[in-house]
Amino acid sequence: ESGIPIVNDGALTVCSNVPFEPFEYVGEDGEYTGFDMDLSREIAAGMGLELEVQNASFDGLQSGTVLAANQCDLIAAAMTITPEREANLAFSDPYYDSLQSLLVPADSPAKSLEDMSGKRIGIQQGTTGETYARDNAPSDTEVIAYQTDADLFQALQAGNIDGVFQDLPVNLKHADDKNFSLAGTYSTGESYGLAAKKDGSEKLITEINAQLAEMHSNGKYQEIYDKYFTE
Ligand code: ARG
């Protein structure tokens, strides 16, 4: 045994926030799938463990509540490493670089956040997209918080909001639907990390980083990457 304390015997229990395609979503077979889920499953296997996934609100994840409540060992949720979050969480090495973006209906004339003046944009509660939109949208833009990416997308479809501000890969996925298009990308220099409890997770984080490094050198990372990011 590794001597790493885990909440459920025989499993690496991971908390996530679903759906956030292509990082985490429930596939047609009813299983958790996506880039983060495959990466986590591979890490679990490398530790001789099964992967168990728990869905939680993104706010509960980024604040560290789910870890404090021993609901899971690790957060795998396309979560950006930020100094604020590092106060409550221990992050792994970065595993994916991302940007922010604005998604609008295909018939919208909007070409950027500036064009959202007097309009409503939706964001997912507690995300870096929320922070960016609140800091950078015109002062007369109404920024409306939704709990999940699914809620956001539904609101856009229903015309309750005029745009969605969210991580680029996720908005790109929605833009596959010809009724929506990207109206701008924003280089925020974000990198995702897996996260564990701030205290007492040194061994777990060391193990996760070793597994990530191994996956980079044996081609497994690339294989999973290509599965979700190469058309
Ligand atoms: N990368 C953004 C952040 O960390 C959004 C992550 C949302 N993830 C999710 N699984 N819903 O704030």
Side-chain angles (χ1 to χ4, degrees):
E1 275 300 314
S2 61
I4 298 172
I6 49 173
V7 298
N8 292 315
D9 281 348
L12 181 69
T13 309
V14 158
C15 280
S16 193
N17 174 258
V18 180
F20 203 67
E21 199 175 345
F23 297 97
E24 38 261 350
Y25 55 101
V26 176
E28 273 158 28
D29 57 1
E31 298 290 322
Y32 283 105
T33 187
F35 184 72
D36 289 346
M37 299 296 104
D38 283 11
L39 220 58
S40 299
R41 201 166 277 117
E42 192 66 22
I43 289 171
M47 296 172 73
L49 301 169
E50 296 287 318
L51 179 70
E52 195 172 305
V53 180
Q54 299 226 354
N55 191 25
S57 81
F58 189 73
D59 237 2
L61 301 182
Q62 63 106 20
S63 60
T65 315
V66 294
L67 294 170
N70 287 319
Q71 221 175 304
C72 42
D73 303 303
L74 204 65
I75 297 168
M79 188 185 283
T80 304
I81 303 169
T82 70
E84 294 77 15
R85 290 172 181 167
E86 280 178 318
N88 300 315
L89 301 170
F91 280 99
S92 72
D93 290 335
Y95 68 87
Y96 186 90
D97 296 332
S98 192
L99 291 75
Q100 291 296 326
S101 64
L102 178 65
L103 184 78
V104 297
D107 60 2
S108 165
K111 291 272 168 290
S112 73
L113 212 42
E114 294 317 301
D115 298 335
M116 290 287 114
S117 175
K119 305 236 180 290
R120 303 153 300 181
I121 53 179
I123 48 81
Q124 188 177 2
Q125 176 102 31
T127 60
T128 48
E130 170 172 23
T131 308
Y132 190 92
R134 292 199 189 281
D135 290 349
N136 296 284
S139 55
D140 64 348
T141 299
E142 191 184 350
V143 179
I144 305 174
Y146 291 85
Q147 280 304 315
T148 68
D149 187 67
D151 293 343
L152 268 178
F153 193 62
Q154 258 171 30
L156 187 64
Q157 254 165 339
N160 297 335
I161 49 178
D162 306 295
V164 163
F165 205 78
Q166 183 67 290
D167 293 16
L168 177 62
V170 176
N171 268 346
L172 266 179
K173 201 78 208 164
H174 289 309
D176 284 351
D177 179 334
K178 295 289 170 267
N179 293 318
F180 302 98
S181 60
L182 278 185
T185 60
Y186 300 86
S187 301
T188 47
E190 296 179 49
S191 299
Y192 300 163
L194 301 169
K197 262 188 192 157
K198 174 82 180 163
D199 295 313
S201 297
E202 294 80 6
K203 277 187 177 166
L204 178 59
I205 291 293
T206 303
E207 173 67 24
I208 302 293
N209 286 340
Q211 295 283 343
L212 283 173
E214 169 72 12
M215 290 166 72
H216 276 290
S217 63
N218 69 13
K220 198 70 203 178
Y221 180 95
Q222 192 63 42
E223 190 184 301
I224 297 174
Y225 186 95
D226 289 345
K227 183 169 160 193
Y228 295 101
F229 300 108
T230 313
E231 307 283 88

